[in-house]
Amino acid sequence: MPRDTGGLARTVELLWGVSTSRGTRGPRPGLSVEAITRAALAIADAEGIGAVSMQRVAKDLDYTTMSLYNYVPSKDQLIELMIDAATPPPPVPDDGDDWRDGVERWVRATWDLYHAHRWVLKVPTVNVPIGPNQMAWFEALLHALSRGGLEGAEVMAIAQHILASTRGQAALSIDLTTEQDGTTAEFSEALRKLATPDRFPTLHGLLTAAEPGGFDAGAELYAGLRLGVRLLLDGVEGHVRPGA
Amino acid sequence: MPRDTGGLARTVELLWGVSTSRGTRGPRPGLSVEAITRAALAIADAEGIGAVSMQRVAKDLDYTTMSLYNYVPSKDQLIELMIDAATPPPPVPDDGDDWRDGVERWVRATWDLYHAHRWVLKVPTVNVPIGPNQMAWFEALLHALSRGGLEGAEVMAIAQHILASTRGQAALSIDLTTEQDGTTAEFSEALRKLATPDRFPTLHGLLTAAEPGGFDAGAELYAGLRLGVRLLLDGVEGHVRPGA
DNA sequence: AACGAAAAATGTATGTCATACAGAGTTTTA
DNA sequence: TAAAACTCTGTATGACATACATTTTTCGTT
């Protein structure tokens, strides 16, 4: 496989496994895109995305750094591959039950997925380039949602909305439960001190009303996400059946 | 100001402007946290966050790189400062009108803010540490939302939900309208090709149903965000007034 | 008035990183 | 059998954050 600085075409090739039709000359490749991706993924899962460097991946594979570039055109590309590799096929939809349950299950599964690979949401640009597995998850959401009776463009909009809020809440949950040592407690205490009633009356009220002891950020945020999704789906139902 | 590697206390000091009570000895400082932040912000706004390096900021200020560290304990800290500096005070709430309008105005203003500083949402951890201006915006949302009649913890949850979806949609919009040259069109075309009807029936249907020509990603995403927020607020109303 | 402490500013140095480039070795095709 | 195509290695470059030691400036104290 010739080296390539990797435009969009190459991205698509790699992510979507378009056969790379490698010429059969030259030494047989000792590595593969999959092996590299797997090694990098293992590092990220174990030590965070910050531990993933080309040198580190190569070392784990017992190759030189530069040999990776025979397979992967750049580190950014590798990260795209890692994200897609971290994403299993989405749960199969169960069209038997309520469509709302389908959406809520999707949200739960996505939440779990992001928590299983806590580095994914720390990657700066998870947005535009999308691999097959990512797309499959989005398709699953679209499918579940489309059973609710929304019109085409609305399905897309609401799906993006749900995806965005799931990501956002999950990112927050991951951040709050990742802080090393006691920084979370320390921070939440600082927050309480800074949210003075004069400048931040509403926030102050909410913070002091909440139980003062340690709170389970993860569970609380998930409950919030769930509530948000439910109310949103309520809105969807009202929108679709204006009478009822 | 003595150098400091910057724990949480220092972060809070810098972000919240707790007076640093500098001893009056030594040369008079030629720089200031504000000047450094301003210079860095200008670079980020003009050339993106990637162009912000300590060397670059120092050069723009005609100082050496290391002198910045007399004021700012680390680059990460500087970025926190930049984010807060990029955030103006939130629009004053207008309690005269419908509370829903207040929320929608907040969403619009936040959308505009992120688009005015397109680098902000590219910073990996915009999540947990919060400066005074960020907090003021969140307070504004809480305030607008609390007029809807939700119970305490619910206000917090829905506010986070709205913040998350606004951020997510804005991030997507920014990504799609930032791609250099014609990558957006190229990408959307590739997407259409990859979303085959066998594996991605729903997505395929939606993409082919949409008008095939160039579409205004920004406007479309904002419309989607708006719809999502509206339906969510519908849900909130139903939740608060179960009868009606 | 002089000295020393404190702080600002500089210069140099280190270690990490992505990646360019050249060359050496290997396999297949012409 | 020669050359083309490819893999792999080694070395090199340029960014970058930041540690550390040194110089310079200013002020409080004697």
Side-chain angles (χ1 to χ4, degrees):
Chain A
M1 188 184 304
R3 286 189 189 173
D4 183 322
T5 40
L8 183 62
R10 189 85 182 97
T11 309
V12 168
E13 260 182 43
L14 284 175
L15 277 173
W16 290 79
V18 176
S19 77
T20 328
S21 72
R22 85 166 207 96
T24 56
R25 285 186 197 184
R28 299 230 241 104
L31 284 172
S32 65
V33 174
E34 294 72 30
I36 293 172
T37 305
R38 210 163 28 227
L41 181 54
I43 297 171
D45 281 345
E47 302 168 49
I49 192 69
V52 176
S53 69
M54 297 304 271
Q55 2 261 327
R56 172 65 192 279
V57 174
K59 197 176 70 137
D60 282 15
L61 289 166
D62 271 316
Y63 276 77
T64 48
T65 305
M66 288 313 290
S67 66
L68 304 187
Y69 287 95
N70 279 310
Y71 303 88
V72 164
S74 73
K75 188 188 181 183
D76 284 351
Q77 290 277 356
L78 176 55
I79 290 180
E80 306 282 359
L81 290 166
M82 290 167 60
I83 292 175
D84 213 66
T87 311
V92 287
D94 175 1
D95 286 5
D97 61 4
D98 186 17
W99 68 273
R100 297 181 54 134
D101 291 345
V103 173
E104 292 196 18
R105 260 205 313 280
W106 184 94
V107 169
R108 175 77 217 185
T110 302
W111 175 272
D112 289 341
L113 178 59
Y114 286 135
H115 280 78
H117 303 282
R118 307 169 70 88
W119 52 272
V120 171
L121 290 178
K122 305 216 184 283
V123 174
T125 168
V126 207
N127 297 313
V128 38
I130 203 174
N133 292 322
Q134 300 279 314
M135 190 178 280
W137 277 75
F138 195 61
E139 164 73 21
L141 175 57
L142 288 173
H143 173 81
L145 208 52
S146 67
R147 294 176 57 217
L150 285 174
E151 176 260 321
E154 294 173 343
V155 172
M156 186 67 91
I158 301 303
Q160 277 166 358
H161 196 96
I162 291 174
L163 174 58
S165 35
T166 305
R167 275 188 183 169
Q169 299 269 54
L172 202 52
S173 158
I174 289 165
D175 265 25
L176 286 177
T177 60
T178 294
E179 299 299 317
Q180 57 282 47
D181 45 357
T183 313
T184 298
E186 205 184 330
F187 182 79
S188 104
E189 197 192 341
L191 206 65
R192 273 194 167 80
K193 264 195 212 105
L194 294 171
T196 54
D198 53 325
R199 291 178 63 189
F200 310 99
T202 319
L203 180 58
H204 177 82
L206 292 177
L207 286 179
T208 54
E211 77 277 35
F215 71 131
D216 183 343
E220 209 164 286
L221 287 170
Y222 180 69
L225 172 61
R226 213 171 133 123
L227 175 65
V229 170
R230 282 191 177 154
L231 297 189
L232 177 59
L233 296 186
D234 285 349
V236 168
E237 283 194 326
H239 181 65
V240 168
R241 296 180 289 117
Chain B
M1 188 184 304
R3 287 189 187 172
D4 184 322
T5 39
L8 182 62
R10 190 85 181 97
T11 308
V12 168
E13 260 182 44
L14 284 176
L15 276 174
W16 290 78
V18 176
S19 76
T20 328
S21 72
R22 85 166 208 94
T24 56
R25 285 187 197 184
R28 300 231 240 102
L31 284 173
S32 66
V33 175
E34 294 72 30
I36 293 172
T37 306
R38 210 166 23 228
L41 181 56
I43 297 171
D45 281 345
E47 303 169 46
I49 192 69
V52 176
S53 70
M54 297 304 272
Q55 3 263 326
R56 172 64 193 279
V57 174
K59 198 177 67 136
D60 282 17
L61 290 165
D62 271 315
Y63 276 77
T64 50
T65 305
M66 289 313 290
S67 66
L68 302 186
Y69 287 95
N70 279 311
Y71 303 87
V72 164
S74 72
K75 187 188 180 182
D76 284 352
Q77 290 277 356
L78 176 54
I79 290 179
E80 306 282 358
L81 290 167
M82 290 168 60
I83 292 175
D84 212 67
T87 311
V92 287
D94 174 1
D95 286 6
D97 60 4
D98 186 15
W99 68 274
R100 297 182 53 135
D101 290 345
V103 174
E104 293 196 19
R105 258 205 314 279
W106 184 94
V107 169
R108 174 77 219 187
T110 303
W111 175 273
D112 289 341
L113 178 58
Y114 286 135
H115 279 79
H117 303 279
R118 306 170 71 87
W119 53 272
V120 170
L121 290 177
K122 306 218 182 282
V123 174
T125 169
V126 206
N127 298 312
V128 40
I130 206 176
N133 292 322
Q134 301 278 314
M135 190 178 281
W137 278 75
F138 195 62
E139 164 73 21
L141 175 58
L142 288 172
H143 173 81
L145 208 51
S146 68
R147 294 177 57 217
L150 286 173
E151 176 259 322
E154 294 173 342
V155 172
M156 186 68 91
I158 301 303
Q160 277 166 358
H161 196 96
I162 291 174
L163 175 57
S165 31
T166 304
R167 276 186 182 171
Q169 299 269 55
L172 202 53
S173 157
I174 289 165
D175 264 27
L176 286 177
T177 59
T178 294
E179 298 300 317
Q180 56 283 48
D181 45 358
T183 314
T184 297
E186 206 184 330
F187 182 78
S188 103
E189 197 192 343
L191 205 66
R192 273 194 166 81
K193 265 196 211 106
L194 295 171
T196 54
D198 53 326
R199 293 178 64 189
F200 310 100
T202 317
L203 181 56
H204 176 82
L206 292 177
L207 287 179
T208 53
E211 76 275 32
F215 72 131
D216 183 345
E220 209 164 285
L221 286 170
Y222 180 68
L225 172 61
R226 213 171 135 122
L227 174 66
V229 170
R230 283 190 176 156
L231 296 188
L232 177 60
L233 295 186
D234 286 349
V236 168
E237 282 195 326
H239 181 65
V240 169
R241 298 180 288 119

